[in-house]
Amino acid sequence: MRAAYGGWYRGAPLSGLVLALPPRGRGRREPLYAVLTVHGDPGTLPFEEIARCLRDAFDRQAGSLTGALREAVLAFHRWLLEQNRNAPPGERWEVGLTLLALREETAFLVQAGPAWAAHVTREGVRVFAPEGEPPATLGAARAVSLHYGMAFLRPEDRLIVTDGVTGPLLDPGALIPLTRIQNLPLILEAIEAQVARTVEHPVAFLIMAGEPGRAAAVSRPRPPEPAPLASTAALSALPSTVQTARGGRWRLPRPPGIGLPFSVPRVRWRGWPRVSLPASPGWVRTLAMALPWLLLLLTLGVYIHQRSILIASRLLAQARAEAERGAQAQAPGEARRHWEAARDLARAAQGYASLPEAAALQATAQARLDQLDQAVQPLHPTRLSSLPSGRLRRMILRDVELYVLDREGRCRAEAPHPGGCVLWLGYDEIHRGLLNESPRELLWSGMILQGYPVKELLDLAWVEAAGERTAGGLIVLHAQGLAESRNQSPRWVASRLTPLADGLLRAYQGNLYVLDRGNGQIWRLRPAEEDYSREPEPYFSSPRPDLSEAVDFLVYQNVYVLYRDGRMRMFVRGQEDEGFPLRELPSPALPSPVRQPIGLMMDATAPRPWLYILEPDRLIQLGLRGDFVRQIRGEKLQDVIAAAVDERRHRLFFLRGDGSLWVADLPPVE
């Protein structure tokens, strides 16, 4: 196996690193290579200590090669967490890692954090990278997600490893011609020519290739030369009446004095008779020319299929071994690591070949992980409708009515509203579908209500009849103030709220609460008859908390604020509850950290309400004191952007990024 590595940077500190870790006298015999992407100050990074940590942890594992790679990555992750815990914020490191080991002509790799690798063959390019949303870097949180891969390198194949930012910039079509370059440093120059104009950050590359095959010289025995018909000495010993003719044939002359009673005519040889055959049709010639190529393609297809099955079988065997270790593990953390490895290896095996055993093992591993993580699957998901695709959406539920705010204004494809719009959708509980008149537009930017223009829509909330309000209605916050849709009839709502460029709206007991990110304040608006014309009251006194990174908030007895980094803070009468378990990172109350929070929701009408944190692939169910209850995740919950919960009927409504609206049943809380 051949390897070459290099990189470049333009005046910036070097952040892409390649570490070559050869085998030592003791331990395992496989050579290691590590490709790191460092976020932080790489000048203070102890490279020798990192190399020693990876190699020592790899050599200590006497089991499978994949298990040794996994334990090496986890050991490095624990070491990095310890370093960051004792370092000030400006001197911490976050690392993306691709660790690969070589065994004969096969490369086994494990990736954690932002990483990228590609197996380049003359048939195409296969990319190894974590799926779904960008993974968390090593050293940032306790939980880490691993991605496994394996590549068998023929002499003409190339394995290219780099960081997760530069890799997607490479053109797969431009990588295939690199398989014809035998000089690996020239491949580095060719890659640099591809991305030099678009990449400004420091990068490093690792190139792997198989050994070129040498055609062995085969000595073939020479056939024995035929013995001559007669040697020179033999010719001299023949009678004088025997003479040689041209061409080496013999003839006997007529003896003198002897005549024949008849004459023998001399026949001249004119060759074998020729038979004229009819001309072959054109399709016969075409078939004769295409048949060798068809056989070649068939052979190549069979080879690729059998090779894929072989790789899938090896991955499946490793997945079964990890599943056995997970079933025998006593500690939950150790069992989770083994079951995650079994699930990822089974998924990788299905990428090479459709094996029913791999699919069954993946389902079993996912079920065991759900059991360990206290996760449940939504039951009977049903697709209700297809809206235009969009990302900036929020949805609330009142009884069997859904209200969807689309800030991009794509409620209807034929008539978009640039400043946003609000849709009403009625749910038919009996037929498990939408009512015939759904959907219907209620409000949109640009409407004129009582002579006032409705500006850009920001948020919405349902306000019940309470205090001086005689009826409930849907209140919409826009850049110029408030508007209401009561009985699907829009009207202007008078208020003294200062115009906002960005804000969030919630309602509780007839009062409105507006989160003002720019001023770091939550304003409480009390009803005055049917409007909110009283002076807004500030919720926080000095000092006010930082709300610039707030993603969402809720008001129910207390105020809950969800932040972009995954923290959630609870405020009681304007003062923060310092005992709330989710105010610090990483939170010990959650099985895995919140990485990409989208929203915070609850069903305030339920006898026992719960808090829900929405992420693109799951919902985290919490108690009002921040205690963890369970997770809700499933295949249909991928790329979810908005959701609403009906606790009384155990219903979950969710909206995905492709515009599809779904309903599913929730298992009751045990």
Side-chain angles (χ1 to χ4, degrees):
M1 187 78 70
R2 297 178 294 152
Y5 42 86
W8 66 89
Y9 66 100
R10 298 176 178 83
L14 182 63
S15 61
L17 304 171
V18 178
L19 300 180
L21 311 175
R24 298 178 293 191
R26 64 185 186 279
R28 305 183 69 99
R29 296 179 297 175
E30 295 88 359
L32 282 180
Y33 290 91
V35 179
L36 299 89
T37 301
V38 183
H39 300 277
D41 183 10
T44 60
L45 194 65
F47 308 119
E48 296 182 357
E49 190 171 352
I50 292 176
R52 189 181 309 111
C53 174
L54 289 171
R55 190 72 218 190
D56 290 347
F58 181 75
D59 289 337
R60 284 195 299 267
Q61 300 299 320
S64 66
L65 184 56
T66 306
L69 288 172
R70 184 188 67 250
E71 294 302 325
V73 174
L74 295 178
F76 171 63
H77 176 56
R78 291 190 293 268
W79 175 86
L80 192 58
L81 283 176
E82 186 67 22
Q83 299 295 320
N84 289 340
R85 188 169 64 91
N86 300 324
E91 298 180 4
R92 296 176 182 174
W93 306 299
E94 295 183 7
V95 178
L97 173 64
T98 297
L99 185 65
L100 59 93
L102 305 179
R103 177 179 288 175
E104 296 178 355
E105 300 301 321
T106 305
F108 298 81
L109 57 91
V110 176
Q111 295 172 317
W116 188 90
H119 182 199
V120 184
T121 67
R122 295 182 181 177
E123 294 83 16
V125 178
R126 179 178 178 82
V127 176
F128 301 95
E131 299 177 354
E133 298 295 335
T137 55
L138 296 178
R142 295 181 181 177
V144 60
S145 179
L146 303 181
H147 182 258
Y148 300 84
M150 183 177 68
F152 176 77
L153 296 181
R154 297 173 296 179
E156 66 273 13
D157 293 352
R158 303 290 180 265
L159 181 63
I160 302 175
V161 187
T162 184
D163 61 278
V165 178
T166 309
L169 299 178
L170 299 176
D171 183 11
L175 295 178
I176 296 177
L178 301 181
T179 58
R180 304 184 183 277
I181 302 177
Q182 296 297 329
N183 191 349
L184 299 187
L186 292 181
I187 296 181
L188 290 173
E189 296 180 5
I191 294 177
E192 180 179 4
Q194 288 188 33
V195 299
R197 297 181 179 179
T198 57
V199 173
E200 296 295 337
H201 58 273
V203 298
F205 283 91
L206 171 66
I207 312 294
M208 309 293 299
E211 290 290 347
R214 295 186 176 90
V218 181
S219 60
R220 299 179 179 177
R222 297 180 60 184
E225 298 183 358
L229 295 177
S231 63
T232 308
L235 287 176
S236 61
L238 291 174
S240 58
T241 55
V242 180
Q243 301 176 3
T244 58
R246 298 191 190 99
R249 293 190 297 271
W250 300 96
R251 69 176 181 177
L252 293 176
R254 183 183 302 171
I258 301 177
L260 294 177
F262 54 89
S263 61
V264 179
R266 185 175 183 180
V267 180
R268 186 175 181 180
W269 172 257
R270 299 184 181 273
W272 295 102
R274 298 181 179 179
V275 179
S276 59
L277 298 176
S280 59
W283 66 270
V284 175
R285 293 194 297 269
T286 303
L287 180 61
M289 296 175 61
L291 188 59
W293 292 101
L294 293 176
L295 293 176
L296 177 62
L297 292 176
L298 180 61
T299 305
L300 182 62
V302 171
Y303 167 75
I304 295 175
H305 177 68
Q306 294 298 326
R307 176 174 170 269
S308 300
I309 291 179
L310 177 61
I311 295 176
S313 301
R314 292 179 179 177
L315 291 172
L316 181 59
Q318 297 181 24
R320 287 171 173 168
E322 293 292 341
E324 292 179 1
R325 297 189 186 97
Q328 298 172 1
Q330 300 297 328
E334 181 183 1
R336 180 181 292 105
R337 289 197 302 271
H338 289 298
W339 284 113
E340 286 179 350
R343 179 197 60 189
D344 295 340
L345 287 170
R347 183 187 296 121
Q350 292 184 81
Y352 284 97
S354 298
L355 300 179
E357 299 88 350
L361 182 57
Q362 180 183 353
T364 302
Q366 186 62 55
R368 297 299 296 269
L369 287 173
D370 291 343
Q371 182 180 0
L372 291 171
D373 295 339
Q374 302 180 33
V376 296
Q377 302 276 341
L379 305 177
H380 316 299
T382 304
R383 186 167 184 163
L384 298 178
S385 178
S386 293
L387 304 177
S389 60
R391 309 298 303 180
L392 301 178
R393 285 175 172 167
R394 185 168 178 267
M395 181 169 60
I396 63 174
L397 174 67
R398 177 189 173 271
D399 197 15
V400 292
E401 295 180 328
L402 291 167
Y403 298 92
V404 178
L405 169 63
D406 188 344
R407 297 188 60 183
E408 298 173 332
R410 288 184 285 192
C411 293
R412 295 181 181 272
E414 63 275 7
H417 303 286
C421 53
V422 176
L423 277 179
W424 171 87
L425 301 100
Y427 178 65
D428 187 352
E429 185 74 24
I430 298 177
H431 299 92
R432 200 176 179 86
L434 297 181
L435 298 178
N436 294 332
E437 59 267 24
S438 300
R440 179 186 303 169
E441 285 186 287
L442 299 181
L443 286 166
W444 58 86
S445 176
M447 293 182 70
I448 304 298
L449 301 177
Q450 287 82 46
Y452 297 98
V454 177
K455 298 296 183 179
E456 179 184 359
L457 306 186
L458 302 178
D459 206 349
L460 76 169
W462 181 268
V463 184
E464 297 290 348
E468 298 183 11
R469 285 183 60 90
T470 59
L474 180 72
I475 300 292
V476 177
L477 174 67
H478 59 93
Q480 201 65 27
L482 300 173
E484 181 180 7
S485 175
R486 182 178 295 184
N487 297 325
Q488 300 188 9
S489 298
R491 74 179 189 92
W492 182 267
V493 178
S495 69
R496 296 186 182 182
L497 186 66
T498 304
L500 300 175
D502 188 15
L504 299 174
L505 178 67
R506 295 295 177 268
Y508 180 63
Q509 294 182 348
N511 299 325
L512 294 180
Y513 294 82
V514 179
L515 188 145
D516 186 356
R517 294 191 181 98
N519 295 319
Q521 185 61 267
I522 295 179
W523 304 101
R524 178 167 50 204
L525 282 71
R526 299 185 183 275
E529 295 182 355
E530 301 301 327
D531 293 326
Y532 289 87
S533 56
R534 295 177 180 175
E535 192 69 25
E537 303 173 2
Y539 179 77
F540 296 112
S541 58
S542 181
R544 292 177 294 183
D546 182 16
L547 300 177
S548 60
E549 295 296 322
V551 176
D552 204 350
F553 82 114
L554 274 179
V555 181
Y556 184 84
Q557 299 176 359
N558 304 311
V559 174
Y560 303 87
V561 181
L562 178 65
Y563 287 84
R564 196 175 306 278
D565 58 2
R567 293 180 297 121
M568 187 165 67
R569 303 166 69 181
M570 186 178 75
F571 298 91
V572 182
R573 297 184 180 89
Q575 301 296 324
E576 183 177 6
D577 185 353
E578 297 184 356
F580 195 66
L582 303 181
R583 65 187 300 267
E584 298 293 341
L585 290 178
S587 173
L590 300 180
S592 58
V594 179
R595 298 186 179 92
Q596 289 183 297
I598 296 177
L600 189 62
M601 69 198 70
M602 71 182 310
D603 183 4
T605 63
R608 184 183 180 183
W610 306 96
L611 296 174
Y612 292 88
I613 299 177
L614 177 63
E615 286 194 276
D617 57 350
R618 64 172 178 169
L619 279 85
I620 302 176
Q621 188 172 355
L622 306 168
L624 295 180
R625 294 296 306 171
D627 50 304
F628 175 77
V629 178
R630 63 181 180 179
Q631 300 182 75
I632 303 170
R633 62 190 183 191
E635 180 182 357
K636 299 300 182 181
L637 282 176
Q638 299 297 320
D639 194 30
V640 63
I641 60 172
V645 179
D646 185 351
E647 297 283 4
R648 293 173 298 175
R649 300 180 179 89
H650 302 290
R651 294 281 189 271
L652 172 64
F653 297 88
F654 57 95
L655 189 63
R656 297 174 53 172
D658 59 359
S660 58
L661 177 63
W662 296 74
V663 63
D665 299 332
L666 287 179
V669 178
E670 297 179 357

